Amino acid sequence: MTAPVSAPALRIFAGTTEGRLLCEWASGAGIPARAYAATEYGGELLGELPGIEVHAGRLDEADMKRELSGARIVVDATHPFATLASGNIRAASLAVGARCLRLARPAEALPKGVVSVASIACAARFLSENPGRALLTTGSKELAPYTRVADFAERFFVRVLPLPGAITKCIDAGFSPSHVIGMQGPFTRELNEAMLRQVGAQWLVTKDSGTVGGTAEKLAAARDVGARCIVVARPAEGGGALSLREVEDALLREFAR
């Protein structure tokens, strides 16, 4: 797997709303780019944009170095919780001599009454000490901590992407099909509220994914139905993280010469 000789000098890892918006902006600005999505589904969400090539599929470290050959600027617009991917992108960019920009989703203050925890394991531990049904919206990749909670198969309902792999992970982890909801967001406040009422949830567990990640709608829906929220805090970004506008400005300086 090697990037074409004519691959654009700009590469965008676009697994988020911000990444998609950046691709749309680059297309409109006449800046060619090659965008990466981890899945075929993610590639479809990027759509067809003039001047934007799309690669769908996961890359290991070796593939990433080969793929980024010839890049001048690499933008890491992956999810705030995709820390492993971000580390690999930085390392591969350094290896090929490309400048790496981190496009970070802005953090927002959480309202009072929210239970903030450091990890999914901490969320599961909290639920093990506090009774009640829960709607889990933290994805299909880290289900193991929840399965260590007594009566998890009865208490917990999992909402994941409607992809065969995600559904299979839930079933393999021990969740019955009646406790697995496969749906693609974004979800409105009203739809979140309906789901919480449907499953009789006293708790909603989510990641702090910010406004574009639907966190506000989840928190509001939980409040409306009298449920409480457990929010997994996002990893610290560290220095150098940029907003969408700042990344756009940097790209204009680099390519509009």
Side-chain angles (χ1 to χ4, degrees):
M1 184 185 300
T2 305
V5 174
S6 59
L10 172 61
R11 314 294 169 81
I12 302 171
F13 286 84
T16 57
T17 299
E18 292 86 357
R20 176 179 56 77
L21 292 174
L22 183 63
C23 287
E24 292 175 355
W25 174 86
S27 177
I31 301 175
R34 186 167 171 83
Y36 302 92
T39 64
E40 293 290 339
Y41 181 68
E44 292 173 5
L45 291 179
L46 286 174
E48 295 185 6
L49 297 167
I52 307 299
E53 305 171 6
V54 176
H55 174 282
R58 298 188 183 280
L59 303 171
D60 61 24
E61 289 185 57
D63 289 334
M64 195 174 289
K65 288 179 182 178
R66 288 192 294 268
E67 184 66 27
L68 294 185
S69 177
R72 278 162 48 197
I73 291 188
V74 177
V75 179
D76 171 15
T78 56
H79 195 275
F81 286 85
T83 54
L84 178 59
S86 288
N88 289 339
I89 292 167
R90 286 194 300 273
S93 299
L94 180 63
V96 301
R99 179 185 177 194
C100 184
L101 304 179
R102 170 59 177 160
L103 200 174
R105 184 171 294 175
E108 298 178 13
L110 297 173
K112 293 181 179 180
V114 167
V115 178
S116 180
V117 295
S119 65
I120 288 177
C122 291
R125 191 176 308 119
F126 180 89
L127 286 169
S128 71
E129 299 168 355
N130 293 272
R133 289 189 166 193
L135 177 61
L136 312 177
T137 66
T138 51
S140 61
K141 295 182 180 179
E142 298 178 76
L143 295 172
Y146 297 120
T147 65
R148 292 191 278 271
V149 177
D151 300 325
F152 80 92
E154 173 61 28
R155 289 182 57 193
F156 299 160
F157 294 78
V158 189
R159 188 171 76 190
V160 296
L161 287 171
L163 299 174
I167 302 297
T168 298
K169 287 179 182 178
C170 296
I171 302 303
D172 289 347
F175 293 92
S176 67
S178 63
H179 282 235
V180 179
I181 303 168
M183 293 184 70
Q184 164 65 39
F187 301 100
T188 63
R189 174 176 177 172
E190 292 77 14
L191 185 52
N192 280 311
E193 180 180 340
M195 289 186 190
L196 289 166
R197 292 190 188 280
Q198 177 69 26
V199 304
Q202 287 85 52
W203 301 96
L204 185 149
V205 187
T206 185
K207 292 179 178 179
D208 181 11
S209 298
T211 299
V212 298
T215 301
E217 287 79 6
K218 294 175 186 177
L219 297 180
R223 184 177 63 246
D224 290 344
V225 303
R228 293 190 64 191
C229 284
I230 303 169
V231 178
V232 180
R234 68 177 64 177
E237 286 285 357
L242 303 174
S243 68
L244 178 59
R245 180 59 182 274
E246 288 171 330
V247 170
E248 291 172 353
D249 289 344
L251 296 182
L252 281 176
R253 290 193 296 271
E254 178 67 25
F255 294 107
R257 294 177 177 176

